[in-house]
Amino acid sequence: MRIQMKILMMACLVLCLISTAYAALGNAVYYDPPYTKSACYQNQDHGTMVTGVSDALWDGGRACGRKYKVQCVRGANTAPHPCHDGASVEVEVVDYCRQPCNGVLNLSKDAFAVIADTVAGKVQVEYNPV
């Protein structure tokens, strides 16, 4: 019984480490309200914690409704210390960010403000599917 418990604990530890290792990195920018009309939901309001995604995540429109946990990692330009330490935000994909899109994620201004100073305009983020 003790050996089985040790194996189970090791398996859980490995799974936790694997899920952390799959965090993706990319740049995030923001757009100003209103957050409707969107490519996914036209004029339906999906709140303020929303994002558009670039071709890297769009998946032919199948990205609509996906949720990501986003955290600022560091600045992507000359803004000093743009990240809000430890802050993260959960956003829903509601739109497509057409080329030239300056980030993998085009966050609502409200969502961006949770994780970083909007004066920065662009930051590097870590994002994970929820």
Side-chain angles (χ1 to χ4, degrees):
M1 183 71 143
R2 289 186 99 135
I3 293 174
Q4 290 173 336
M5 189 59 115
K6 285 183 181 181
I7 291 171
L8 179 62
M9 293 296 285
M10 290 300 290
C12 288
L13 178 64
V14 169
L15 287 174
C16 288
L17 291 173
I18 288 172
S19 66
T20 302
Y22 280 113
L25 291 174
N27 286 334
V29 293
Y30 72 86
Y31 64 105
D32 291 314
Y35 305 130
T36 55
K37 178 167 191 171
S38 70
C40 296
Y41 303 109
Q42 291 71 42
N43 291 317
Q44 292 179 14
D45 184 4
H46 278 251
T48 59
M49 297 301 146
V50 294
T51 189
V53 295
S54 69
D55 288 328
L57 296 175
W58 181 240
D59 197 19
R62 288 181 290 278
C64 293
R66 289 183 186 155
K67 295 187 179 195
Y68 292 94
K69 181 180 177 184
V70 183
Q71 185 170 10
C72 183
V73 177
R74 66 182 146 274
N77 54 32
T78 58
H81 313 293
C83 297
H84 297 162
D85 290 338
S88 65
V89 66
E90 186 176 308
V91 292
E92 178 184 0
V93 176
V94 299
D95 211 354
Y96 173 61
C97 187
R98 288 167 178 64
Q99 292 301 325
C101 189
N102 291 320
V104 172
L105 299 172
N106 189 12
L107 299 168
S108 65
K109 185 175 185 177
D110 295 85
F112 191 97
V114 170
I115 62 167
D117 186 350
T118 56
V119 173
K122 180 196 279 188
V123 292
Q124 188 171 36
V125 295
E126 177 180 279
Y127 58 96
N128 293 294
V130 177

